[in-house]
Amino acid sequence: MLPDLTQYTWIAWLVLALLFIIIELLTLEFTFLMLAAGALIGGLGVWLVGGPWWLQIAVAATLSVLLLFTIRPLLLRTLRRSSELVKTNVDALPGLGARVTVRFVDGNGSVRLDNGETWTALLAPGHESAPLDVGDRVVVAAVRGAIVEVTPAADSSPPPSPPAPDEGLPT
């Protein structure tokens, strides 16, 4: 005589919930987490109180849909509100300091940004007459394709060299 397979549906609900949790760890969008909660609470919960298999599936599906459309949007909104926008790549360049590596001639030169990148540079409008030599400090005003637009920094003089050790002073 064959065993009644409906007595083992609790194993199927646990395996399904575990599978959904593993997929959720890979996607991180709370979708499969809601499906796992529906499988555990709805499917396994109805099995524990002795409900038939069709009721287990119906309650699990209904609960999963309710969680997807009620709890998931709240979780996503809360998660995205708490993280502030961090500028990266080209968006992070304006305002970054730089040092002139190739002397500016007719408003064109080259600079090494404080993040270590070397860029072709163009003096911003209104600053074309500023004399910029190698080693002078500038600030990135904008990015124009593959060229950064720079303005002279407030203190464009190179950093002072360390003082020479005092010779001949009594110790």
Side-chain angles (χ1 to χ4, degrees):
M1 177 169 229
L2 293 174
D4 182 21
L5 293 180
T6 58
Q7 66 184 352
Y8 298 109
T9 55
W10 66 274
I11 295 172
W13 289 117
L14 285 177
V15 169
L16 189 62
L18 183 64
L19 180 68
F20 285 151
I21 290 172
I22 290 170
I23 294 172
E24 177 61 36
L25 291 174
L26 298 173
T27 61
L28 299 175
E29 281 292 320
F30 296 126
T31 302
F32 287 96
L33 185 64
M34 300 300 120
L35 296 176
L40 283 176
I41 298 169
L44 191 59
V46 172
W47 180 86
L48 287 173
V49 296
W53 63 269
W54 56 268
L55 185 61
Q56 294 173 26
I57 294 172
V59 171
T62 304
L63 188 60
S64 294
V65 168
L66 284 173
L67 289 172
L68 274 172
F69 291 111
T70 57
I71 303 299
R72 182 178 176 266
L74 295 173
L75 288 174
L76 287 175
R77 196 170 330 145
T78 303
L79 180 69
R80 292 192 177 119
R81 180 179 12 161
S82 64
S83 62
E84 59 185 61
L85 181 63
V86 177
K87 291 184 179 183
T88 58
N89 301 332
V90 176
D91 295 332
L93 295 182
L96 190 65
R99 192 161 297 281
V100 176
T101 57
V102 174
R103 188 173 194 274
F104 276 74
V105 177
D106 295 329
N108 297 315
S110 182
V111 296
R112 178 175 295 272
L113 303 179
D114 288 345
N115 66 6
E117 298 175 355
T118 301
W119 282 68
T120 303
L122 177 68
L123 280 172
H127 297 282
E128 292 91 354
S129 62
L132 290 176
D133 288 323
V134 175
D136 289 347
R137 294 287 299 168
V138 292
V139 176
V140 176
V143 178
R144 307 277 184 240
I147 298 175
V148 290
E149 196 172 271
V150 297
T151 59
D155 179 25
S156 63
S157 60
S161 58
D166 294 333
E167 295 179 18
L169 291 178
T171 55

